[in-house]
Amino acid sequence: MAHSYTPGLTVTEQTTVRRRRMLSLPGSVLVSGGETVRANQAVARAELPGKVYPLNLANQLGVAPDEIHEYLVKKAGDPVKKDEILAENKPLIKWFKTEILSPITGVVESVSNVTGQVLLREPPRVLELLGYVDGRVVEVIPQQGVVVETDCSLVQGIFGIGGETWGEIVIAVTSPDEVLTPRHLTADMKGKVVVGGSFISSDALARAKEVGVAGLVIGGIHDKDLRALLGYDLGVAITGTEQVGFTLILTEGFGTIPMAGKTFNLLSAHAGQQASISGATQIRAGVIRPEIIIPKGGAAGKQGAVIVLEREGIRIGDQVRIIRDPLFGKIGEVASLPSDLQKIPTESEVRVMEVRFADGSKTMIPRANIELIEGA
Amino acid sequence: MSVPSPSPIEPVITHPLNVIVATDCGSTTTKAILIEKVGGEYRQTYRGEAPTTVEAPFEDVTLGVLNAIAEIEELSGRKILDGDKIITPCRDAKTGVDIYISTSSAGGGLQMMVTGVVQNMTGESAQRAALGAGAIVIDVLASNDGRLPHEKIERIRTMRPDMILMSGGTDGGAVTHVVEMAEYISAAEPRPRFGATYKLPLIYAGNKDAQPQVRKILGEKAALVLTDNIRPVLERENLAPARNKIHDLFLEHVMAQAPGYKKLIEMAGAPIMPTPAAVGVIMETIAKREHLNLIGVDIGGATTDVFSVFEGIFNRTVSANLGMSYSISNVLAEAGLANIMRWVPFTIDEQTLRNRIKNKMIRPTTIPQTLDELQIEHAIAREALRLALIHHKSLATALKGVQQERTISDVFEQQQSGKTLIDMLKLDLIVGSGGILSHAPRRVQAMLMMVDAYEPLGVTRLSVDSIFMMPHLGVLSTINEKAATEVFVRDCMVYLGTCVAPVGQGKDGERCADYAITFPDGRVDKGQLLFGDLRLVPLAGDQKASITIQPAKQVSLGAGAGVSVTREVQGGVVGLLLDGRGRPLQLPTDHAARVASLTKWFNAVDLYPKAGWGQG
């Protein structure tokens, strides 16, 4: 049976996650199956082919493309140093001599007698892929990467920017509805994952950068502050490569929205522990949500079993978050699930659910506008 | 007029097709429809939908397909599924279907990079071939595109297309530039978007004399396919062979890499088509059958596709980042806040609006729950539609259909004038599709969104896809044109009515035009349309009326300023819309005056329930 609610974000004290660590091009795997790895340990390495520099020798020497072989000093496959002679002509009078020097250090990749072009390539750049989480290698994919498994606590955010990092969790506010201000951010938070409450302002973002925090986990942010942080207006939510000085994870959305109590309590319970975080978000074509992984340490994946959360649809009593105005960000539990379509103020007829809030009040919400808070 | 050739693989179907189930696997939802022969006529009877399951944790597109079909099973009482198999053909009156067919745009659609030698010749021909095949063109590289060689190579390296189409040179002409491009591609070692281990499909459709060199340079590095030159001589385009190869490779390589698609291909009784290609087939068919100039639009969550047929020439463009959910924030970025705000009939502060749009982006499946939220989405849709049409107009100068003749003088003429083929005065019909238009709570909302965004001139008919089934019917038409046509006419196309919009401007309250409408029963309604007026005259879908318009002296309906025009107009579920707001449409710049104007117009056509006014 099809369901019409948004799959929820997981917030769970105990789970086992596996993270595929894949090189973007074939290389070598540095660890073996069963090995314990650290978040900052290289698990695979690849050589990214160097930049290519085309040089049209035929034009520069003023000869036909199929004649350039006669003028080449270096042949395809030869190494070459910057300013070394690649090709030269041999005039009768020395003054007319033309020498073509290599603009880079690298190798001569190819010589074309059709276009008269020589392609030079810089030396490859070594790319190291790190473990990202403390855990155990459970699968090795030759030449491509590994799968690392860890027993952990897991919090998924809704949106983030910035890549993978790790650090000690520090709780900067006293409650999930407190706003994170510059005064909360102290010098000893350098390199740590700082957890705030409902909102972070632009001056607090600047302070976080100044302090050098590794990551920020927060309920909400204003779009205008995100724009200022990035320097551009984010059009499509595909993130993870931003370089703003830290990784930012929103747990609730845009605006001032108290962090879900469950999320705040879980993170608070792990203050002082190491967490691996990633801001990478991709909402289109393959959902990736930002995450905070807090490995249990020591007991990583002893059983090798992965707890797969069953998604059985929504049930009465489930905790849900309302994800659309006018009650955006409110959290409650499912009170009833009427099966008939109901007309909402827009005049659309949709499937709804009744949500009960902590104060006992109840309201009808379109099922499309709630999100399950998943995880035990 | 070119006949669309959606796929080179023509399925052979021997049994009668009385019950058909079709799905469209969109980026957000998979929509299934059931088509049955009822009393000798094909009708769409039931529909179901379910979230698309290309992504984790499911990573198998067929699960969403089965869920959507299961919903049809529940509603219709017909047993279609046997476990995870579709029962074909029909076993009895209540069991099975005769065929299952599908389109797909899940996973970001088909993303292509194309190359040519001269940017506005072979480069554009390659772009047309790719767009016509239903692709999103992520870049056009050409020898003269202004980028330095190393910049081109870097660009190819950083992009991860699903496929590359190479063109360049006329047959027998110089090979140097096209070989040079092959060298760049080879040096860049492009990698496909899906799958790290398979070779990137690359179609070479350039100068045939360069084929041996291209094969030598790229044969090892890509899954190279050679086909006929798309520009064998300068005066002629030959897009069909390249387009067919794109379809072949889409199925064989790209889709086979996407999660679950191998199973989907096996399940389907006809080749899976890219959604835009299927919608294009339908748009071309309508224009051909009714001899119309039309603009069609399919506004989705991620992209907006625009189709046009003018004087028999078919064009398609895709605005890859204009959409109503995943790409909604990009509409704001491209249109600017002021352009969106001008359609919102109440006051809302910038920060709140920006935050709301971003929240829709990160939770794309949510729906407007309050009237003000609906009005904001409709405001954004107007801008997405408007921007996508501007994009289409800019490319439709050179975008032309398959197998057509172009003379050298045409090429130079177009370059000089840069004139678009889209002539809004000659436009007969606007066809809207996509969730925001098909599922607008009131049909008049869809009509006004399109009128505001496109600003049709003179007399233009408007229609909308009833429940979003054009992709399904597009693929169906490749195996059974009769079924597709019957369902299209009876169940898909909802005629909204006709918009009459005099061209010209004047002060609010001044005379724009006098009109006389003669209804089928002989009744005549005479009136004066003032500038700033928007009037809705009821006229049922099966009714035609005659309208005579005498425009003011500075105003035209296409026949010249002040010249009277008499036209037959068709009704629709909304009726006849008399638009005296002037063209180009200009909204008051003052906030209070603008809100007052919008409120007046919206009230005049009963656009929204009254309770919602002033919310925000």
Side-chain angles (χ1 to χ4, degrees):
Chain A
M1 174 61 199
H3 45 72
S4 56
Y5 63 92
T6 306
L9 302 172
T10 300
V11 177
T12 185
E13 175 58 41
Q14 174 67 52
T15 187
T16 302
V17 299
R18 287 182 170 183
R19 289 291 171 262
R20 284 176 83 81
R21 312 296 298 156
M22 300 291 282
L23 291 163
S24 55
L25 67 173
S28 51
V29 175
L30 307 174
V31 292
S32 44
E35 201 175 321
T36 302
V37 293
R38 307 290 300 174
N40 58 358
Q41 179 183 345
V43 292
R45 181 182 294 142
E47 290 191 338
L48 182 69
K51 266 191 176 175
V52 177
Y53 289 84
L55 273 186
N56 198 309
L57 289 191
N59 286 352
Q60 296 197 20
L61 290 167
V63 299
D66 57 358
E67 292 172 355
I68 60 165
H69 281 276
E70 296 167 27
Y71 299 87
L72 283 175
V73 175
K74 299 280 180 185
K75 303 275 181 281
D78 284 356
V80 64
K81 289 206 165 64
K82 190 172 188 305
D83 295 331
E84 214 177 336
I85 299 169
L86 274 178
E88 60 186 10
N89 62 2
K90 297 179 181 68
L92 289 172
I93 303 164
K94 215 166 75 179
W95 287 351
F96 294 118
K97 188 169 169 107
T98 305
E99 290 178 340
I100 312 293
L101 306 182
S102 171
I104 59 151
T105 295
V107 291
V108 179
E109 176 146 301
S110 68
V111 179
S112 171
N113 58 8
V114 177
T115 59
Q117 188 149 253
V118 169
L119 296 178
L120 305 172
R121 192 183 285 274
E122 282 187 343
R125 200 155 53 87
V126 174
L127 284 181
E128 282 203 331
L129 181 68
L130 303 180
Y132 171 49
V133 289
D134 294 350
R136 196 173 65 110
V137 177
V138 291
E139 191 185 343
V140 173
I141 302 118
Q143 298 187 309
Q144 294 186 59
V146 296
V147 177
V148 179
E149 182 183 284
T150 186
D151 282 348
C152 61
S153 301
L154 173 70
V155 173
Q156 284 185 314
I158 186 73
F159 174 79
I161 57 166
E164 295 169 350
T165 186
W166 42 86
E168 180 193 323
I169 295 176
V170 50
I171 310 295
V173 292
T174 52
S175 72
D177 54 2
E178 191 178 346
V179 172
L180 189 71
T181 63
R183 68 171 178 81
H184 290 112
L185 293 156
T186 53
D188 59 347
M189 290 176 179
K190 183 177 165 63
K192 295 183 179 171
V193 174
V194 178
V195 178
S198 59
F199 178 72
I200 184 164
S201 60
S202 56
D203 51 351
L205 286 166
R207 173 71 183 149
K209 196 171 174 177
E210 190 186 312
V211 166
V213 304
L216 280 172
V217 182
I218 207 88
I221 184 179
H222 281 324
D223 173 49
K224 72 172 170 62
D225 295 334
L226 176 71
R227 205 159 25 117
L229 187 66
L230 291 172
Y232 56 89
D233 202 350
L234 189 78
V236 181
I238 298 174
T239 67
T241 56
E242 297 72 20
Q243 308 266 343
V244 297
F246 49 81
T247 290
L248 172 71
I249 296 176
L250 305 184
T251 60
E252 314 300 312
F254 287 88
T256 304
I257 318 149
M259 186 179 287
K262 187 176 174 184
T263 309
F264 188 78
N265 293 341
L266 189 149
L267 292 171
S268 300
H270 292 279
Q273 292 180 24
Q274 285 287 315
S276 294
I277 68 169
S278 167
T281 308
Q282 186 178 315
I283 294 169
R284 178 177 163 189
V287 175
I288 300 169
R289 294 289 186 182
E291 63 187 9
I292 301 140
I293 294 173
I294 310 158
K296 295 290 177 195
K302 268 184 187 160
Q303 308 302 317
V306 177
I307 300 163
V308 178
L309 294 168
E310 292 285 326
R311 289 168 194 266
E312 293 175 347
I314 202 148
R315 285 169 302 198
I316 289 169
D318 281 349
Q319 209 180 33
V320 292
R321 177 190 280 119
I322 294 170
I323 54 173
R324 184 95 191 204
D325 280 304
L327 296 173
F328 182 85
K330 284 198 83 170
I331 288 169
E333 61 174 45
V334 180
S336 69
L337 291 161
S339 57
D340 292 342
L341 297 179
Q342 288 200 12
K343 198 178 238 188
I344 58 174
T346 61
E347 297 184 332
S348 286
E349 293 198 352
V350 297
R351 295 186 80 180
V352 297
M353 73 168 62
E354 193 179 26
V355 178
R356 185 188 299 114
F357 299 109
D359 63 2
S361 64
K362 290 196 273 191
T363 189
M364 287 291 183
I365 303 286
R367 290 194 193 186
N369 293 351
I370 67 101
E371 185 175 78
L372 262 178
I373 298 178
E374 293 195 25
Chain B
M1 170 83 202
S2 60
V3 176
S5 53
S7 173
I9 310 158
E10 287 301 327
V12 180
I13 295 142
T14 48
H15 55 271
L17 299 181
N18 293 325
V19 186
I20 300 153
V21 68
T23 58
D24 170 57
C25 307
S27 52
T28 320
T29 48
T30 297
K31 282 88 48 179
I33 60 168
L34 187 70
I35 292 167
E36 295 173 277
K37 213 168 191 177
V38 183
E41 205 175 58
Y42 288 100
R43 297 299 299 261
Q44 184 271 322
T45 49
Y46 296 96
R47 72 186 289 268
E49 66 177 53
T52 295
T53 49
V54 171
E55 297 100 14
F58 309 106
E59 291 183 346
D60 180 353
V61 74
T62 60
L63 295 177
V65 168
L66 297 175
N67 283 341
I69 295 176
E71 204 160 271
I72 289 185
E73 271 191 325
E74 276 181 40
L75 294 166
S76 65
R78 172 179 290 275
K79 184 167 171 55
I80 304 173
L81 300 174
D82 180 9
D84 59 356
K85 298 261 185 309
I86 296 172
I87 303 167
T88 52
C90 280
R91 289 182 193 158
D92 56 50
K94 278 287 173 194
T95 313
V97 294
D98 292 315
I99 194 168
Y100 164 66
I101 51 177
S102 188
T103 59
S104 172
S105 60
L110 167 62
Q111 302 191 3
M112 288 185 68
M113 187 182 86
V114 304
T115 75
V117 169
V118 181
Q119 194 168 22
N120 58 7
M121 290 191 179
T122 46
E124 285 194 359
S125 292
Q127 201 176 355
R128 280 195 293 275
L131 286 164
I136 293 168
V137 175
I138 51 179
D139 204 352
V140 184
L141 291 164
S143 302
N144 70 337
D145 65 11
R147 286 179 275 200
L148 295 170
H150 72 271
E151 290 172 334
K152 288 188 184 114
I153 293 170
E154 268 310 292
R155 181 75 182 139
I156 304 166
R157 274 164 70 113
T158 51
M159 277 190 305
R160 300 189 73 162
D162 293 318
M163 205 185 292
I164 294 178
L165 171 64
M166 275 189 79
S167 71
T170 52
D171 285 344
V175 299
T176 316
H177 287 103
V178 70
V179 171
E180 193 176 67
M181 190 61 82
E183 287 170 357
Y184 296 153
I185 293 174
S186 167
E189 297 186 6
R191 285 170 297 126
R193 192 161 57 109
F194 292 121
T197 52
Y198 90 109
K199 285 182 182 173
L200 181 75
L202 190 150
I203 299 165
Y204 175 73
N207 182 355
K208 67 177 182 203
D209 293 356
Q211 283 186 358
Q213 283 106 319
V214 171
R215 194 195 299 274
K216 194 173 151 199
I217 297 164
L218 290 166
E220 291 295 310
K221 294 203 171 174
L224 180 68
V225 173
L226 304 174
T227 187
D228 296 350
N229 193 348
I230 55 173
R231 203 72 178 260
V233 289
L234 199 56
E235 301 79 12
R236 191 166 66 83
E237 272 183 345
N238 178 28
L239 305 182
R243 204 161 129 179
N244 289 342
K245 287 286 180 228
I246 294 171
H247 281 286
D248 285 354
L249 291 175
F250 175 66
L251 286 169
E252 288 167 25
H253 289 257
V254 182
M255 294 213 41
Q257 296 297 324
Y261 276 87
K262 274 184 188 152
K263 265 204 275 179
L264 185 70
I265 291 167
E266 282 167 18
M267 275 160 70
I272 313 290
M273 281 175 87
T275 305
V279 177
V281 168
I282 284 288
M283 297 288 179
E284 269 199 273
T285 309
I286 306 168
K288 191 169 90 177
R289 199 181 55 221
E290 300 186 23
H291 305 289
L292 296 175
N293 291 330
L294 73 77
I295 289 176
V297 62
D298 178 5
I299 178 167
T303 64
T304 296
D305 289 337
V306 182
F307 307 82
S308 69
V309 184
F310 274 83
E311 314 298 339
I313 299 168
F314 172 72
N315 282 307
R316 168 184 173 253
T317 54
V318 52
S319 297
N321 285 326
L322 293 175
M324 290 306 297
S325 60
Y326 297 106
S327 312
I328 194 166
S329 186
N330 199 56
V331 180
L332 170 69
E334 282 196 26
L337 189 77
N339 277 326
I340 289 173
M341 286 300 294
R342 68 191 172 132
W343 301 113
V344 178
F346 50 81
T347 305
I348 178 169
D349 73 274
E350 178 179 342
Q351 189 159 286
T352 307
L353 184 67
R354 283 187 176 278
N355 285 345
R356 284 190 189 188
I357 291 173
K358 278 286 188 298
N359 281 325
K360 170 84 178 185
M361 174 186 81
I362 58 175
R363 289 178 169 108
T365 54
T366 60
I367 58 167
Q369 188 176 337
T370 58
L371 208 47
D372 61 332
E373 287 262 301
L374 181 74
Q375 288 168 340
I376 290 169
E377 286 209 0
H378 286 175
I380 297 166
R382 283 172 169 88
E383 286 303 302
L385 290 167
R386 184 179 68 85
L387 292 171
L389 183 65
I390 291 171
H391 181 211
H392 185 80
K393 281 180 175 172
S394 72
L395 282 171
T397 50
L399 268 174
K400 291 184 180 175
V402 293
Q403 298 281 16
Q404 55 167 336
E405 294 285 338
R406 289 177 81 189
T407 66
I408 295 180
S409 61
D410 282 342
V411 173
F412 289 129
E413 206 171 79
Q414 282 185 15
Q415 280 177 346
Q416 281 163 4
S417 62
K419 200 178 162 195
T420 179
L421 300 172
I422 309 299
D423 182 344
M424 297 303 279
L425 265 171
K426 290 185 182 161
L427 176 65
D428 299 302
L429 176 67
I430 299 173
V431 184
S433 187
I436 190 96
L437 296 172
S438 294
H439 298 143
R442 293 185 183 186
R443 294 286 189 200
V444 64
Q445 292 162 358
M447 185 160 178
L448 200 63
M449 274 188 264
M450 291 192 279
V451 167
D452 287 348
Y454 291 163
E455 298 186 31
L457 308 177
V459 180
T460 315
R461 204 173 171 199
L462 291 101
S463 68
V464 72
D465 180 355
S466 63
I467 54 164
F468 190 69
M469 62 168 110
M470 284 192 188
H472 311 75
L473 299 185
V475 66
L476 176 60
S477 71
T478 66
I479 54 162
N480 189 331
E481 188 152 3
K482 180 176 182 288
T485 306
E486 286 181 8
V487 176
F488 181 80
V489 171
R490 307 250 170 240
D491 301 310
C492 172
M493 191 83 145
V494 176
Y495 283 102
L496 298 168
T498 301
C499 173
V500 177
V503 184
Q505 281 170 332
K507 280 187 183 157
D508 273 12
E510 280 181 3
R511 187 177 81 93
C512 175
D514 294 315
Y515 64 88
I517 307 164
T518 309
F519 291 92
D521 60 3
R523 183 170 53 92
V524 179
D525 178 1
K526 286 186 179 174
Q528 192 170 68
L529 186 67
L530 304 178
F531 276 108
D533 269 1
L534 192 63
R535 240 173 252 183
L536 189 60
V537 180
L539 186 64
D542 55 354
Q543 290 190 331
K544 283 182 180 168
S546 169
I547 183 165
T548 300
I549 312 147
Q550 174 62 57
K553 63 179 178 187
Q554 80 280 21
V555 178
S556 166
L557 271 123
V563 178
S564 172
V565 166
T566 299
R567 291 281 294 269
E568 189 175 71
V569 288
Q570 180 83 43
V573 293
V574 176
L576 185 58
L577 188 69
L578 304 178
D579 189 349
R581 297 177 298 171
R583 292 290 187 271
L585 183 58
Q586 287 180 338
L587 278 76
T589 46
D590 172 66
H591 173 73
R594 184 182 50 75
V595 170
S597 289
L598 289 176
T599 306
K600 182 177 102 174
W601 297 332
F602 291 1
N603 278 333
V605 298
D606 198 18
L607 199 64
Y608 296 107
K610 294 291 180 289
W613 295 107
Q615 281 189 15

